[in-house]
Amino acid sequence: MELAMAAEELRTVVNRLRRAQGQIAGVIKMIEEGRDCEDVVTQLAAASRALDKAGFAIIATGLQQCLTDGAMAASEDREEMRARLEKLFLSLA
């Protein structure tokens, strides 16, 4: 399954990943500075959510492409695609 995203979708995903990158850098800095554990965990959770949202956006785009491109025409293809998409969703769970 190739990833071909529209420019706007791609920009949104990249922005989310950059935000997560900044949040992770912030977490590292907080740990190095000996910041409060609750603050560190809160920032880490925010980074995790940003990564999850980016991953789900990529998976949703892939699913949309599968449905619109007719890639799921044959029953064998459908089952294989379903298994691959399920594996992708579970990898983010």
Side-chain angles (χ1 to χ4, degrees):
M1 179 173 20
E2 248 182 74
L3 180 65
M5 300 176 77
E8 184 60 35
E9 293 168 327
L10 183 59
R11 187 174 21 260
T12 300
V13 169
V14 169
N15 287 341
R16 284 184 178 149
L17 291 172
R18 285 195 176 117
R19 187 176 317 122
Q21 184 179 31
Q23 290 168 326
I24 291 168
V27 168
I28 292 169
K29 185 176 179 184
M30 292 170 78
I31 291 170
E32 290 173 344
E33 294 173 350
R35 297 274 300 271
D36 180 65
C37 179
E38 187 175 343
D39 293 339
V40 172
V41 171
T42 299
Q43 188 68 16
L44 190 58
S48 178
R49 283 190 302 275
L51 290 172
D52 286 345
K53 285 182 180 182
F56 285 127
I58 291 169
I59 291 172
T61 299
L63 179 59
Q64 181 181 12
Q65 288 174 359
C66 290
L67 294 174
T68 58
D69 292 347
M72 297 173 65
S75 62
E76 295 164 326
D77 292 338
R78 272 199 308 270
E79 183 58 31
E80 180 183 335
M81 186 60 64
R82 187 205 59 76
R84 290 172 63 193
L85 289 169
E86 181 180 337
K87 182 178 178 181
L88 286 173
F89 277 112
L90 290 174
S91 72
L92 293 174

